Amino acid sequence: MQSLLMILDLVLSVVWFFVIAHVIMSWLISFQVLNVRQQFVAQIWYALNRLLEPMYAPIRRILPPMGGLDLAPLIVLLGIMVIRIVVSNNIGYM
């Protein structure tokens, strides 16, 4: 059981990295540092959107419109932190 919790923690760490990369990349695209017309940038952006949109969509339906400010990544990061705290606290009991 402890191995499964450690694997879950690893998966959550990877998702955390993807969300952070998506947020930073969205800022760089917004400030025109990155150009989505470049094939490599477009492929990474498309892949990150395809991976993270299933997590963002339900949160965006619940949150009220914030005038261009997307808080869905923040909520996902907070959720990951909560799950990691619960997992790390319960690893010792297994």
Side-chain angles (χ1 to χ4, degrees), residues 18 22 25 29 34-52:
F18 283 157
H22 185 257
M25 195 167 178
I29 289 171
L34 290 178
N35 188 357
V36 240
R37 284 179 264 160
Q38 294 176 346
Q39 184 179 5
F40 182 68
V41 173
Q43 286 176 345
I44 293 175
W45 182 245
Y46 178 74
L48 285 174
N49 280 330
R50 293 280 303 218
L51 284 171
L52 297 173

Side-chain angles (χ1 to χ4, degrees), residues 53-66:
E53 192 58 35
M55 285 186 280
Y56 291 166
I59 296 169
R60 286 181 180 143
R61 275 185 256 135
I62 295 171
L63 289 176
M66 302 292 277

Side-chain angles (χ1 to χ4, degrees), residues 1-17:
M1 187 66 176
Q2 186 176 5
S3 298
L4 292 175
L5 292 177
M6 292 175 76
I7 291 171
L8 177 63
D9 188 49
L10 176 67
V11 169
L12 290 173
S13 297
V14 171
V15 172
W16 176 275
F17 171 76

Side-chain angles (χ1 to χ4, degrees), residues 53-81:
E53 192 58 35
M55 285 186 280
Y56 291 166
I59 296 169
R60 286 181 180 143
R61 275 185 256 135
I62 295 171
L63 289 176
M66 302 292 277
L69 183 63
D70 187 16
L71 295 179
L74 177 65
I75 302 298
V76 168
L77 290 175
L78 288 174
I80 290 172
M81 288 174 84

